[in-house]
Structure formats: structure tokens, C-alpha cells
């Protein structure tokens, strides 16, 4: 059982931090991610939530720093 755990953690560490960490991730995946992020930003802007979100963040920061 311990050997399987060591093999799994070694493989996982290599996959996350090794030289092959982006193996298999191609242009299509990155382009899809960028389109999704752009869509979220566009939706926030079109719904007028940018001011609301900004105000909420500012209020939270003021509460934290006591301002």
C-alpha cells in the first residue's frame, strides 16, 4: 500500500511541477479558456455589475483596515 502511495504522489508531483506539466494542453484549450474569461468579463460589464463589485470590494477593504 505504501509503495502505491509513493508511486502516485511521485507521478502527481512530476505532473504538476515537472517538465511535462503542460503536456496535452494545446492551443484549443487555452483559446477556450480565454474565450470563457472574456465572456465573464463582458457579462459583468453588460449587467453593470462592475461598479457593484468594485464598491463591495472597497467596502470590505475599508472594514478590514478600519477606514
Amino acid at each position: 500500500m505504501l509503495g502505491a502511495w509513493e508511486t502516485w504522489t511521485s507521478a502527481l508531483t512530476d505532473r504538476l511541477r515537472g517538465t511535462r506539466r503542460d503536456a496535452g494542453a494545446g492551443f484549443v484549450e487555452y483559446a477556450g479558456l480565454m474565450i470563457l474569461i472574456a465572456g465573464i468579463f463582458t457579462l459583468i460589464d453588460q449587467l453593470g455589475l462592475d461598479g457593484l463589485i468594485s464598491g463591495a470590494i472597497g467596502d470590505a477593504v475599508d472594514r478590514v483596515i478600519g477606514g
Side-chain angles (χ1 to χ4, degrees):
M1 180 72 176
L2 185 58
W5 176 257
E6 289 174 357
T7 302
W8 182 80
T9 55
S10 174
L12 180 65
T13 302
D14 183 49
R15 186 78 172 124
L16 292 176
R17 296 186 184 148
T19 57
R20 297 182 24 194
R21 66 179 175 261
D22 282 338
F27 174 76
V28 175
E29 287 86 2
Y30 288 123
L33 185 62
M34 294 304 294
I35 290 170
L36 180 66
I37 292 169
I40 291 170
F41 277 106
T42 302
L43 181 66
I44 288 172
D45 186 50
Q46 293 297 318
L47 292 175
L49 296 176
D50 49 346
L52 183 66
I53 292 170
S54 176
I57 292 172
D59 291 343
V61 169
D62 284 343
R63 276 187 254 132
V64 169
I65 62 174

